Amino acid sequence: MQILLEIVYYLATVLTWIIVIQAVLSWLVAFNIVNTSNEFMRSVLYALDRITAPIYNPIRRIMPDLGALDLSPLVVLLILYIIRNIIIPNLMFSLA
């Protein structure tokens, strides 16, 4: 059971970094620092969107529409923080 919790912990860490990278890249695209006509950047952005869209969509359905401001990555990061720093350590402590 402890190994399964460690796997979930590491997957949550990887997902956290994917969300942060996607947010930074979207800001770079929005400020026209990164050009989306570059095939490599377009494929990276597409891949990141395909990875995170299934996670964001249920949260986007619940949250109110704020126009251009999308808070679903922030909510997902908060959930991942709670999982990584509160739930998993408490479960590991109770198993030990």
Side-chain angles (χ1 to χ4, degrees):
M1 182 67 174
Q2 191 171 9
I3 294 174
L4 182 63
L5 289 173
E6 288 180 18
I7 291 172
V8 170
Y9 179 84
Y10 290 124
L11 287 176
T13 303
V14 168
L15 187 58
T16 300
W17 281 107
I18 288 173
I19 292 170
V20 168
I21 291 169
Q22 182 190 25
V24 170
L25 281 177
S26 70
W27 293 336
L28 293 175
V29 168
F31 292 124
N32 207 15
I33 296 171
V34 173
N35 193 355
T36 56
S37 64
N38 183 348
E39 183 64 34
F40 174 74
M41 284 310 299
R42 189 173 35 243
S43 64
V44 168
L45 290 169
Y46 180 73
L48 290 174
D49 185 56
R50 296 283 299 214
I51 291 170
T52 57
I55 300 165
Y56 294 159
N57 287 338
I59 294 171
R60 286 179 180 150
R61 275 187 251 130
I62 296 170
M63 292 185 62
D65 187 20
L66 298 175
L69 185 62
D70 185 16
L71 296 178
S72 56
L74 186 64
V75 172
V76 172
L77 286 175
L78 180 65
I79 292 169
L80 289 172
Y81 177 82
I82 291 170
I83 290 171
R84 286 180 47 223
N85 295 324
I86 296 173
I87 295 174
I88 291 178
N90 286 335
L91 287 174
M92 292 268 237
F93 181 73
S94 68
L95 290 176

